[in-house]
Structures are given as structure tokens and as C-alpha cells.
Amino acid sequence: AGGVRRATAPREAARRPAASLGVLARAADCAVPLLQTPMKKTNALIAQMGVTFLNAYVPSALCCPSRASILTGKYPHNHHVVNNTLEGNCSSKSWQKIQEPNTFPALLKSMCGYQTFFAGKYLNEYGAEDAGGVSHVPPGWSFWYALEKNSKYYNYTLSVNGKARRHGENYSVDYLTDVLANMSLDFLEYKSNFEPFFMMISTPAPHSPWTAAPQYKNSFQNVSAPRNSNFNIHGKNKHWLIRQAKTPMTNSSIQFLDDAYRKRWQTLLSVDDLVEKLVKKLENHGELDNTYIFYTSDNGFHTGQFSLPIDKRQLYEFDIKVPLLVRGPGIKPNQTNKMLVANIDLGPTILDIAGYDLNKTQMDGMSLLPLLRGDKNVTWRSDFLVEYQGEGYNGSDPTCPGLGPGVTHCFPDCVCEDSYNNTYACVRTMSTSWDLQYCEFDDREVFVEVYNLTADPHQINNIAKTIDQEILEKMNYRLMMLQSCSGATCRTPGVFDPGYRFDPRLMFSNHGVRARRFSTRSLSSI
């Protein structure tokens, strides 16, 4: 959750009064359907009082790369965080030196005079001894309450402004979602009233291990994972990693994913309580009407689609699409917006609200502020880039030694969710003429997947071999351009925009844009 409160005089000569950015709430692994039932208070207090973005996405469906994109406003190929490991630049020394000084919270604090507050999960390897431990407090945060490493609900360590604080397993004082709520309420109670504020509250829920608060452990007993048309079917004509999933799934696998889905809902009830408490506190302090509140997630999640049990990381809608709800000054209630937006837009939006000149940043995203205000005739993007570098063990996965080296995140029935060559890049396009996704894998096959989501919203049929060749060529060229974009060049017209220009000769010219693929070799030096 994130919030921004209006400022009267930020240091960066604002063009408009900056809102108290208030609260940016960010739940982990929160697919869009998870908002439909358990988050009733959040829907009532944010969605119904503001705008719901129906087409909000992440450029990489994995925790650390996605969180890095939120903080920097950049695609993964520009912030260089490619997975959840230190070697993949997740909270590494390189990240700390090169990217952290230029995150939007750092600019809010240093250039716009904001008091800033962080509570919750930061990056998966935050607190690693090889990267400074929990004593490292990233620039830009006035108050810092960060979880060491990855998601937990009990028995965890927080960095409290650089000092380690250990928590146990007593619900009343240790349940992490409630601890984050209480810390946030304390900040709102005791913060300075003479400076605008920004809060980022990052709950691990509904991430595994899906530990619900005691009062919610029996909720949703009849809930099971959605049975859409892509549930428990073979991923024919897809990348080999999807094809290797066993279909139909075993009864034990289905029971496992249904239990996980239900437990995820249960954990979100505490997040829903957190949102309600924050909104009420802002209202009681007379600050609600002057505060922007954002609710979103770092990635989606799959539960049984194409017979993949549970995880994220894949290129499909269920993993890259996320909720995005916003309320605040000038936003009309109960609105929906169909524009194509991404989490790289959050940083530019918040800086724009604060009055900072976005031309001074190197961010790839766009400010959502014109959409939030309901401006007319806004020129907007029609596509964005999705990119992911697969992870795999050098040796065989101990769960499935027969599959050989290179795979990881394998289930007992040897369905593996990731591999070295699960490395891909996609152009996700939404225009008046096409709702399309074009993807290329960096593997020996140079495997291609293409989906027409107008006719096939659940991405069952790969039309790479039947779609018009000219469209394939244009999408391939557009993908190469986006993979090498930076800043403003990431916001050029898409394939189906009136201003788009395509010269097929550039695809084969030494002077044209060259393909820029992720590879283990090219990233090993980062």
C-alpha cells in the first residue's frame, strides 16, 4: 500500500500542490481474482472511492525483479535485477550502489522534502550478510522497518532503522501483518505535520507459507481455485517447460493447490484489516481527502493453469496481471480504466504527484496522473515489455534427478516450474485492433508463442505458426527495440499505433536495432 500526502512547499519547486503520497500498499503474489471476495473492505475503501485499473501488469512475474521495477520505474534490463538471488542482483552490493540512490523514495526525500516510511518485505535478499546485513538502510527512508530476507508471518527478524529486532510466534505481538499495521498507525500518529509524507507498506501476505491469523483460519472452507478453461489441461504448442507438466494433475496436487488458494484468501483478511485501519486513521486525522492511496502487488500467481500446480514466473496473464486500485484528490469514485499500465509507472506517478520534474529521471514508465484526473485526449501506450531470466540448478533437482540439470522449483511428481532456458521476452499489446501477446524464448529452439486474447483470453492456442507473417516481423522488431530501450525510448509508438514506423530492412542491417536477449553469460558480470 502506498500513500502520498499533499505538500504545501516541497523543495523541488512543484508545479502543483503535491499530495501526501500517503500509502502504497503492496501485497505479495496477489493475483487479480484475490481481490474479488476476501478484500471487501479494500474494495469499499479504495476501489469504490477511486479508480480500478483493469489492465495493470508487471514486466517480470517474480518478486525481486518486480519490486525493483516499482522502486526504480525501470524495466529489468535497465535495473539488472533478474531473479531472487544475490547473483541475480537482488539487494546486492551493485544494486545498492547503482540503483538505490535513484529510486523514487530517495528522490521524494532528498528533492521534495518528504518524510518517508517503509514497513514489510523489501527485496528477497535484503539482510544478507554478503550485502551489508540488516544494518543497511537504503537511501530515501526516514523510517525503516524491513523484513530480513523472504516472506514469513512468525519467527522473523526486522531491521528497525538498521538494528535487528527478532520476533517470535506469539500472535498478539508477532503476527507480521498486524505488526506492520501497528507500526504504520504509529507513524501516522507521531509523524511531523509540517512535512508531506509517503508510506510504503509491503505485506508478505498472501505469499507462502500462507499462515492465517487465528481468527481467520476457518474462513472460506468451501473455496477452491478457479476452474477456468485453462485449468488442468495440457499446455500444447507451448514452451517445453509448460508441456512437461503432467496432465491430468493428480488428486493430491489438486487438493494441495486448492488448500493453498484457500489459505491465501485467509491471509488476505488481515491485509484487508490493515487497509481499513489506515484509512480510518487518516480520516480521523483529517488527512484522508488529501492523501493518495495505491493498492497493488508485485506479481500474479497460478493455481493449476496448464497443469502447473502453484507459482508465478510464467509469461501468461495469470502471472503478469495484477490489481491496481487508487483513490485520492481529484479522482472520481467508482471508476474503471482500461488503459495498459505497468508497475514501472508507479514511481513516475508518485514523483509527478509530488511535483518533481520527470525529465530529470531515467525512468522507463509513465505518470498515471493524467489518467487518475480523468484528463481528456491523453496519449497513452499500446504495448509494454515482459522479460524474465529463468533459474535452474547446475546439478539435478533432488526431487526429480531423472530430469537432469537446469531445472528448479520441482514438485514431488516432477512438474518443474522453472529452468535456465525458461528465459523469455514478450511484447504485450493492447490497441483498438489487437489484444496480442508475442513472446520469444532464449533457447535452442528460439521458441515463439503468440496469443490473440480477444479470441482466446485464457491463452490456450499458440498462433505463432498461423498469424500473418508481417505481424510477426513487426512484433519481432518491436521486441528488439523494447529490449534495448531506456527512458523515453521505452515509450515510443507501438506496432498498431498511428505513429509507428517499420522498415523491415532494419531487421537485417548492421545499423539497425539488434536483438538484446537475456543470457546467463551477459548477466554474470553484473
Side-chain angles (χ1 to χ4, degrees):
V4 185
R5 179 166 165 257
R6 285 184 187 262
T8 53
R11 295 175 199 163
E12 171 69 26
R15 302 180 303 270
R16 67 183 69 83
S20 148
L21 292 178
V23 185
L24 172 56
R26 184 179 63 191
D29 292 2
C30 192
V32 174
L34 285 178
L35 275 173
Q36 294 174 352
T37 300
M39 307 291 287
K40 293 185 183 301
K41 298 172 184 176
T42 301
N43 268 307
L45 295 171
I46 305 180
Q48 293 178 24
M49 299 304 294
V51 60
T52 299
F53 286 90
L54 301 178
N55 295 306
Y57 290 85
V58 296
S60 191
L62 188 64
C63 307
C64 205
S66 184
R67 289 163 182 262
S69 287
I70 291 174
L71 289 164
T72 63
K74 297 177 181 179
Y75 284 119
H77 70 261
N78 287 328
H79 61 57
H80 304 300
V81 178
V82 298
N83 58 39
N84 289 342
T85 67
L86 279 177
E87 295 75 18
N89 208 31
C90 181
S91 202
S92 67
K93 287 287 189 180
S94 174
W95 157 266
Q96 293 172 16
K97 179 181 179 181
I98 298 172
Q99 301 297 336
E100 280 187 343
N102 299 302
T103 61
F104 79 83
L107 293 174
L108 278 179
K109 186 172 186 290
S110 64
M111 302 303 295
C112 302
Y114 274 76
Q115 51 189 321
T116 56
F117 170 94
F118 180 87
K121 177 180 173 179
Y122 179 57
L123 301 176
N124 296 54
E125 285 295 327
Y126 172 76
E129 289 301 320
D130 292 343
V134 297
S135 62
H136 171 68
V137 177
W141 298 106
S142 313
F143 302 90
W144 178 254
Y145 303 92
L147 177 68
E148 179 188 39
K149 298 291 188 73
N150 203 0
S151 303
K152 292 183 178 180
Y153 296 78
Y154 293 109
N155 298 311
Y156 54 87
T157 297
L158 291 179
S159 171
V160 179
N161 298 316
K163 303 292 184 181
R165 177 188 294 174
R166 180 70 182 168
H167 282 260
E169 51 188 24
N170 181 338
Y171 168 72
S172 62
V173 293
D174 296 318
Y175 188 68
L176 183 55
T177 307
D178 292 352
V179 169
L180 299 180
N182 291 333
M183 288 176 168
S184 302
L185 294 174
D186 285 346
F187 170 75
L188 289 175
E189 182 69 30
Y190 298 112
K191 65 176 175 58
S192 167
N193 291 323
F194 300 101
E195 296 176 310
F197 70 87
F198 170 75
M199 305 174 69
M200 180 179 283
I201 306 162
S202 182
T203 67
H207 196 288
S208 62
W210 317 306
T211 308
Q215 66 270 30
Y216 294 135
K217 283 188 174 180
N218 294 320
S219 301
F220 308 120
Q221 287 302 305
N222 296 321
V223 165
S224 57
R227 265 52 169 178
N228 294 326
S229 58
N230 56 8
F231 179 83
N232 197 16
I233 65 170
H234 184 246
K236 61 181 181 178
N237 299 322
K238 288 175 168 53
H239 189 242
W240 77 268
L241 187 68
I242 309 301
R243 298 198 306 266
Q244 59 86 36
K246 292 177 173 57
T247 306
M249 290 184 289
T250 63
N251 289 335
S252 60
S253 291
I254 293 176
Q255 181 177 348
F256 172 75
L257 66 87
D258 279 339
D259 288 344
Y261 193 86
R262 179 166 51 254
K263 290 176 181 178
R264 283 160 55 77
W265 275 32
Q266 292 168 354
T267 66
L268 280 173
L269 291 174
S270 294
V271 180
D272 210 30
D273 291 340
L274 179 154
V275 171
E276 181 185 42
K277 292 173 185 176
L278 288 173
V279 171
K280 285 186 175 179
K281 174 67 80 170
L282 289 167
E283 186 174 31
N284 290 340
H285 281 209
E287 295 180 307
L288 181 59
D289 292 341
N290 202 35
T291 301
Y292 287 89
I293 304 176
F294 298 73
Y295 181 94
T296 190
S297 182
D298 53 358
N299 50 256
F301 205 70
H302 57 257
T303 47
Q305 290 91 342
F306 303 125
S307 299
L308 298 172
I310 57 167
D311 201 31
K312 49 265 186 160
R313 306 169 195 270
Q314 308 306 333
L315 58 88
Y316 309 104
E317 293 283 284
F318 44 72
D319 282 359
I320 64 172
K321 197 168 189 178
V322 293
L324 178 57
L325 318 175
V326 189
R327 69 170 288 172
I331 302 176
K332 295 179 181 179
N334 207 26
Q335 299 291 305
T336 58
N337 189 293
K338 295 182 179 180
M339 292 296 192
L340 187 62
V341 302
N343 69 359
I344 57 173
D345 301 330
L346 293 173
T349 302
I350 290 170
L351 289 175
D352 196 17
I353 291 170
Y356 189 76
D357 182 358
L358 297 181
N359 292 322
K360 295 182 179 180
T361 76
Q362 297 178 336
M363 294 183 173
D364 303 331
M366 305 171 66
S367 171
L368 301 174
L369 192 54
L371 303 183
L372 297 176
R373 293 186 307 226
D375 292 358
K376 303 297 183 183
N377 302 317
V378 176
T379 300
W380 200 253
R381 69 161 67 89
S382 64
D383 64 13
F384 76 99
L385 176 68
V386 180
E387 50 190 355
Y388 177 67
Q389 178 175 309
E391 294 182 67
Y393 294 125
N394 288 325
S396 299
D397 188 289
T399 310
C400 303
L403 289 177
V407 296
T408 186
H409 293 82
C410 298
F411 285 84
D413 55 357
C414 290
V415 175
C416 298
E417 295 274 4
D418 209 358
S419 67
Y420 276 134
N421 67 358
N422 185 38
T423 295
Y424 58 81
C426 309
V427 180
R428 181 70 178 91
T429 296
M430 279 187 192
S431 68
T432 55
S433 54
W434 282 98
D435 188 357
L436 194 71
Q437 186 170 7
Y438 172 90
C439 302
E440 293 181 12
F441 283 83
D442 188 8
D443 60 9
R444 292 177 182 175
E445 296 180 288
V446 192
F447 197 82
V448 176
E449 295 188 27
V450 183
Y451 299 97
N452 177 358
L453 283 93
T454 302
D456 180 23
H458 294 127
Q459 297 171 290
I460 294 171
N461 300 309
N462 179 8
I463 60 172
K465 294 182 178 179
T466 58
I467 194 171
D468 184 87
Q469 185 66 25
E470 182 182 357
I471 292 179
L472 277 182
E473 292 176 358
K474 288 182 177 180
M475 296 303 290
N476 170 262
Y477 181 62
R478 178 63 175 165
L479 179 60
M480 289 191 290
M481 291 186 68
L482 286 175
Q483 283 186 280
S484 44
C485 77
S486 179
T489 60
C490 297
R491 304 187 289 271
T492 55
V495 167
F496 302 105
D497 289 334
Y500 179 74
R501 296 293 179 265
F502 171 63
D503 185 349
R505 294 172 296 180
L506 292 177
M507 297 177 65
F508 310 103
S509 166
N510 291 331
H511 303 290
V513 177
R514 294 183 179 180
R516 176 175 172 178
R517 300 184 188 280
F518 277 147
S519 69
T520 304
R521 181 175 63 256
S522 65
L523 289 166
S524 61
S525 61
I526 294 174

PDB file of all heavy atoms in Angstrom, residues 390-408:
ATOM      1  N   GLY A 390      15.231 -17.246 -16.642  1.00  0.00           N
ATOM      2  CA  GLY A 390      14.938 -18.456 -15.889  1.00  0.00           C
ATOM      3  C   GLY A 390      16.045 -18.831 -14.916  1.00  0.00           C
ATOM      4  O   GLY A 390      17.210 -18.512 -15.118  1.00  0.00           O
ATOM      5  N   GLU A 391      15.638 -19.535 -13.868  1.00  0.00           N
ATOM      6  CA  GLU A 391      16.575 -20.046 -12.877  1.00  0.00           C
ATOM      7  C   GLU A 391      16.629 -21.564 -12.975  1.00  0.00           C
ATOM      8  O   GLU A 391      15.631 -22.224 -13.264  1.00  0.00           O
ATOM      9  CB  GLU A 391      16.141 -19.661 -11.464  1.00  0.00           C
ATOM     10  CG  GLU A 391      16.180 -18.176 -11.164  1.00  0.00           C
ATOM     11  CD  GLU A 391      15.779 -17.892  -9.724  1.00  0.00           C
ATOM     12  OE1 GLU A 391      16.533 -18.283  -8.807  1.00  0.00           O
ATOM     13  OE2 GLU A 391      14.712 -17.290  -9.517  1.00  0.00           O
ATOM     14  N   GLY A 392      17.789 -22.122 -12.693  1.00  0.00           N
ATOM     15  CA  GLY A 392      17.935 -23.574 -12.672  1.00  0.00           C
ATOM     16  C   GLY A 392      19.169 -23.966 -11.903  1.00  0.00           C
ATOM     17  O   GLY A 392      20.114 -23.182 -11.764  1.00  0.00           O
ATOM     18  N   TYR A 393      19.168 -25.193 -11.368  1.00  0.00           N
ATOM     19  CA  TYR A 393      20.330 -25.704 -10.655  1.00  0.00           C
ATOM     20  C   TYR A 393      21.360 -26.224 -11.654  1.00  0.00           C
ATOM     21  O   TYR A 393      21.006 -26.776 -12.699  1.00  0.00           O
ATOM     22  CB  TYR A 393      19.929 -26.847  -9.730  1.00  0.00           C
ATOM     23  CG  TYR A 393      19.037 -26.444  -8.586  1.00  0.00           C
ATOM     24  CD1 TYR A 393      17.813 -27.077  -8.378  1.00  0.00           C
ATOM     25  CD2 TYR A 393      19.422 -25.444  -7.683  1.00  0.00           C
ATOM     26  CE1 TYR A 393      16.997 -26.725  -7.317  1.00  0.00           C
ATOM     27  CE2 TYR A 393      18.606 -25.087  -6.625  1.00  0.00           C
ATOM     28  CZ  TYR A 393      17.397 -25.727  -6.445  1.00  0.00           C
ATOM     29  OH  TYR A 393      16.585 -25.370  -5.406  1.00  0.00           O
ATOM     30  N   ASN A 394      22.647 -26.066 -11.314  1.00  0.00           N
ATOM     31  CA  ASN A 394      23.690 -26.660 -12.148  1.00  0.00           C
ATOM     32  C   ASN A 394      23.607 -28.174 -12.114  1.00  0.00           C
ATOM     33  O   ASN A 394      23.876 -28.850 -13.102  1.00  0.00           O
ATOM     34  CB  ASN A 394      25.075 -26.194 -11.686  1.00  0.00           C
ATOM     35  CG  ASN A 394      25.336 -24.736 -12.025  1.00  0.00           C
ATOM     36  OD1 ASN A 394      24.883 -24.258 -13.053  1.00  0.00           O
ATOM     37  ND2 ASN A 394      26.043 -24.026 -11.148  1.00  0.00           N
ATOM     38  N   GLY A 395      23.236 -28.710 -10.955  1.00  0.00           N
ATOM     39  CA  GLY A 395      23.039 -30.151 -10.837  1.00  0.00           C
ATOM     40  C   GLY A 395      21.571 -30.499 -10.987  1.00  0.00           C
ATOM     41  O   GLY A 395      20.725 -29.639 -11.241  1.00  0.00           O
ATOM     42  N   SER A 396      21.258 -31.763 -10.836  1.00  0.00           N
ATOM     43  CA  SER A 396      19.870 -32.209 -10.931  1.00  0.00           C
ATOM     44  C   SER A 396      19.096 -31.773  -9.704  1.00  0.00           C
ATOM     45  O   SER A 396      19.635 -31.706  -8.593  1.00  0.00           O
ATOM     46  CB  SER A 396      19.806 -33.735 -11.062  1.00  0.00           C
ATOM     47  OG  SER A 396      20.464 -34.169 -12.234  1.00  0.00           O
ATOM     48  N   ASP A 397      17.821 -31.456  -9.892  1.00  0.00           N
ATOM     49  CA  ASP A 397      16.964 -31.151  -8.763  1.00  0.00           C
ATOM     50  C   ASP A 397      16.793 -32.424  -7.933  1.00  0.00           C
ATOM     51  O   ASP A 397      16.448 -33.478  -8.469  1.00  0.00           O
ATOM     52  CB  ASP A 397      15.593 -30.658  -9.252  1.00  0.00           C
ATOM     53  CG  ASP A 397      14.740 -30.140  -8.116  1.00  0.00           C
ATOM     54  OD1 ASP A 397      14.278 -30.958  -7.297  1.00  0.00           O
ATOM     55  OD2 ASP A 397      14.514 -28.921  -8.038  1.00  0.00           O
ATOM     56  N   PRO A 398      17.059 -32.373  -6.630  1.00  0.00           N
ATOM     57  CA  PRO A 398      16.986 -33.602  -5.822  1.00  0.00           C
ATOM     58  C   PRO A 398      15.612 -34.252  -5.830  1.00  0.00           C
ATOM     59  O   PRO A 398      15.495 -35.451  -5.599  1.00  0.00           O
ATOM     60  CB  PRO A 398      17.373 -33.112  -4.419  1.00  0.00           C
ATOM     61  CG  PRO A 398      17.165 -31.627  -4.435  1.00  0.00           C
ATOM     62  CD  PRO A 398      17.435 -31.191  -5.835  1.00  0.00           C
ATOM     63  N   THR A 399      14.577 -33.456  -6.099  1.00  0.00           N
ATOM     64  CA  THR A 399      13.229 -34.027  -6.156  1.00  0.00           C
ATOM     65  C   THR A 399      13.031 -34.868  -7.406  1.00  0.00           C
ATOM     66  O   THR A 399      12.296 -35.856  -7.389  1.00  0.00           O
ATOM     67  CB  THR A 399      12.183 -32.892  -6.128  1.00  0.00           C
ATOM     68  OG1 THR A 399      12.463 -32.013  -5.050  1.00  0.00           O
ATOM     69  CG2 THR A 399      10.775 -33.461  -5.966  1.00  0.00           C
ATOM     70  N   CYS A 400      13.711 -34.472  -8.492  1.00  0.00           N
ATOM     71  CA  CYS A 400      13.494 -35.115  -9.786  1.00  0.00           C
ATOM     72  C   CYS A 400      14.830 -35.318 -10.504  1.00  0.00           C
ATOM     73  O   CYS A 400      15.101 -34.675 -11.525  1.00  0.00           O
ATOM     74  CB  CYS A 400      12.560 -34.277 -10.659  1.00  0.00           C
ATOM     75  SG  CYS A 400      10.965 -33.941  -9.899  1.00  0.00           S
ATOM     76  N   PRO A 401      15.688 -36.201 -10.001  1.00  0.00           N
ATOM     77  CA  PRO A 401      17.010 -36.368 -10.606  1.00  0.00           C
ATOM     78  C   PRO A 401      16.961 -36.846 -12.046  1.00  0.00           C
ATOM     79  O   PRO A 401      17.883 -36.577 -12.817  1.00  0.00           O
ATOM     80  CB  PRO A 401      17.680 -37.411  -9.698  1.00  0.00           C
ATOM     81  CG  PRO A 401      16.553 -38.118  -9.013  1.00  0.00           C
ATOM     82  CD  PRO A 401      15.476 -37.098  -8.847  1.00  0.00           C
ATOM     83  N   GLY A 402      15.882 -37.522 -12.428  1.00  0.00           N
ATOM     84  CA  GLY A 402      15.786 -38.034 -13.791  1.00  0.00           C
ATOM     85  C   GLY A 402      15.676 -36.952 -14.850  1.00  0.00           C
ATOM     86  O   GLY A 402      15.916 -37.213 -16.033  1.00  0.00           O
ATOM     87  N   LEU A 403      15.319 -35.707 -14.454  1.00  0.00           N
ATOM     88  CA  LEU A 403      15.162 -34.629 -15.430  1.00  0.00           C
ATOM     89  C   LEU A 403      16.503 -34.001 -15.816  1.00  0.00           C
ATOM     90  O   LEU A 403      16.561 -33.221 -16.764  1.00  0.00           O
ATOM     91  CB  LEU A 403      14.232 -33.550 -14.877  1.00  0.00           C
ATOM     92  CG  LEU A 403      12.758 -33.937 -14.777  1.00  0.00           C
ATOM     93  CD1 LEU A 403      11.962 -32.803 -14.138  1.00  0.00           C
ATOM     94  CD2 LEU A 403      12.179 -34.257 -16.150  1.00  0.00           C
ATOM     95  N   GLY A 404      17.564 -34.326 -15.075  1.00  0.00           N
ATOM     96  CA  GLY A 404      18.855 -33.762 -15.418  1.00  0.00           C
ATOM     97  C   GLY A 404      19.023 -32.357 -14.881  1.00  0.00           C
ATOM     98  O   GLY A 404      18.138 -31.797 -14.224  1.00  0.00           O
ATOM     99  N   PRO A 405      20.177 -31.718 -15.178  1.00  0.00           N
ATOM    100  CA  PRO A 405      20.457 -30.382 -14.648  1.00  0.00           C
ATOM    101  C   PRO A 405      19.650 -29.309 -15.365  1.00  0.00           C
ATOM    102  O   PRO A 405      19.158 -29.499 -16.473  1.00  0.00           O
ATOM    103  CB  PRO A 405      21.957 -30.209 -14.929  1.00  0.00           C
ATOM    104  CG  PRO A 405      22.205 -31.067 -16.130  1.00  0.00           C
ATOM    105  CD  PRO A 405      21.290 -32.253 -15.991  1.00  0.00           C
ATOM    106  N   GLY A 406      19.540 -28.141 -14.681  1.00  0.00           N
ATOM    107  CA  GLY A 406      18.954 -26.970 -15.331  1.00  0.00           C
ATOM    108  C   GLY A 406      17.553 -26.620 -14.912  1.00  0.00           C
ATOM    109  O   GLY A 406      17.055 -25.556 -15.276  1.00  0.00           O
ATOM    110  N   VAL A 407      16.872 -27.499 -14.136  1.00  0.00           N
ATOM    111  CA  VAL A 407      15.504 -27.205 -13.711  1.00  0.00           C
ATOM    112  C   VAL A 407      15.499 -26.855 -12.229  1.00  0.00           C
ATOM    113  O   VAL A 407      16.454 -27.113 -11.495  1.00  0.00           O
ATOM    114  CB  VAL A 407      14.546 -28.390 -13.970  1.00  0.00           C
ATOM    115  CG1 VAL A 407      14.420 -28.661 -15.452  1.00  0.00           C
ATOM    116  CG2 VAL A 407      15.011 -29.633 -13.226  1.00  0.00           C
ATOM    117  N   THR A 408      14.395 -26.261 -11.784  1.00  0.00           N
ATOM    118  CA  THR A 408      14.260 -25.924 -10.371  1.00  0.00           C
ATOM    119  C   THR A 408      12.785 -25.751 -10.027  1.00  0.00           C
ATOM    120  O   THR A 408      11.923 -25.763 -10.906  1.00  0.00           O
ATOM    121  CB  THR A 408      15.041 -24.630 -10.047  1.00  0.00           C
ATOM    122  OG1 THR A 408      15.005 -24.405  -8.638  1.00  0.00           O
ATOM    123  CG2 THR A 408      14.430 -23.429 -10.740  1.00  0.00           C
TER     124      THR A 408
END
